[in-house]
Amino acid sequence: MNVLVIGGGGREHAIVDALSRSAKVGKIYCAPGNAGIARQAECVSIRETAVEELRDFALEKGIGLTVVGPEVALAAGVVDCFRKAGLRIFGPTKAAARIESSKEFAKELMVKYGIPTAGFRAFTEYGAARDYVAGRSFPAVLKYDGLAAGKGVVIARTMEEADAALKDMLLDDKFGEGKVVIEDYLEGPEFSFMCFVSGRRVWPMVLAQDHKRAYDGDKGPNTGGMGAYSPLPFITPEDERFALERILQPVADAMVDEGCPFEGVLYGGLMKTAQGIKVIEFNARFGDPETEVVLPRLKSDIVDIFCAVAEGLDTQLEWHDFATLGIVLASKGYPGSYEKGHEIKGLDRVEGTVYHMGTKADGGRILTNGGRVLFVVGRGATLAEARVAALRDVARIECDNLFHRTDIGHWAFDK
């Protein structure tokens, strides 16, 4: 069948790469795609949120399956639009995607159904939010209620930091019209537990851990993610079972009971605290960059999984035993302002896998075209081997405007 992937980052490159391994796939299209994706799919210049244009393209090209990557497309109602046109699409409806697009919706759902998470309060008014934070101990966890490309969370350690964040979110509308969720601060290692979900059916993926901070030692501002790895030695089988049975499965059931059944990838951003595993956030799609280290470990045909979820059928997942570790090469200045258009050389010398996150082609040259630019994945029998392989390939890539972390996976090595 012909397949359309919506999106243009590293997550979508990993999805395209997994699809390309299936004998059941004919032609792959990607909208809008990037310079790396263009080597495995035909890129189409349609915006991720242009849902009617995407629908018309799918009808014109006889697309048998569409896979949605980014949250903005889900929040724009692309799944609803495609289903109304009789098109098979993998992803949750706009109503179900609220588990990501509204932090308040997700928190209230968890409270109602007894899902373990941090205590919280929501605010739309700057003065009330500031007074609430000022009367509590620090650090303070401040979350913008809507979508913010992975940058809408601030862990403020002083009143000055908290005040600046509240002004961004409630007065200056940095991410859009403002509402803020203020949560109790939790401590412990975070991990990502993604599951394929179709109504009450839940199929767990292998675990991964993302690194949000920009610099080594988990320092600097929050980003969309600077690296990831899988598996996680500090998460026990008992931890994983608890997370599946007490968090992911109950949430899938709750969404059905609330009248907005979830179909697609339910992403649990979890934390292993001294008081047990708790939810930090939910996403309604594949995580980025976790997808880039999880999908290479998938042994099953991903087309079978996508179709089963979209049609409410049963399926099975098999996984490879090897470890994967990936490192983001980001533009200097990211997650703040940064330059584009710097040439990247040495990609032909890389031995492992490189997923393009923010690149564009200029004739025979590859140029930087985003904050996060490349994701270099190493594989090995152990995480240590995978890290060596990833760092070795990173050193082969030449660009005068990229930086990266050297300590991805430190939770696995240091604990």
Side-chain angles (χ1 to χ4, degrees), residues 119-121 123 127-137 182-184:
F120 79 103
R121 280 189 62 186
F123 295 88
R130 191 185 190 284
D131 290 346
Y132 180 72
V133 173
R136 292 163 50 84
S137 59
I182 301 173
E183 293 186 0
D184 295 342

Side-chain angles (χ1 to χ4, degrees), residues 15-62:
I15 293 169
V16 166
D17 186 46
L19 286 165
S20 71
R21 298 195 290 271
S22 172
K24 298 174 182 176
V25 171
K27 184 157 187 175
I28 305 173
Y29 297 91
C30 190
N34 61 40
I37 292 172
R39 299 181 180 184
Q40 293 176 287
E42 180 178 326
C43 293
V44 185
S45 57
I46 303 176
R47 287 181 297 108
E48 300 153 338
T49 53
V51 297
E52 293 178 351
E53 195 175 347
L54 289 164
R55 174 204 61 199
D56 293 345
F57 176 84
L59 289 168
E60 177 193 339
K61 296 295 183 181

Side-chain angles (χ1 to χ4, degrees), residues 103-104 106-112 114-123 132-133 136-137 139-143 154 180-187 271 273 275-281:
K103 300 286 191 298
E104 186 178 25
K107 295 296 283 192
E108 288 178 347
L109 186 83
M110 285 185 271
V111 169
K112 181 176 179 178
I115 310 297
T117 189
F120 79 103
R121 280 189 62 186
F123 295 88
Y132 180 72
V133 173
R136 292 163 50 84
S137 59
V141 180
L142 315 175
K143 295 184 177 181
V154 174
V180 170
V181 171
I182 301 173
E183 293 186 0
D184 295 342
Y185 177 73
L186 301 177
E187 281 193 335
M271 179 179 282
T273 75
Q275 293 76 40
I277 294 172
K278 298 192 177 185
V279 177
I280 301 299
E281 65 175 350

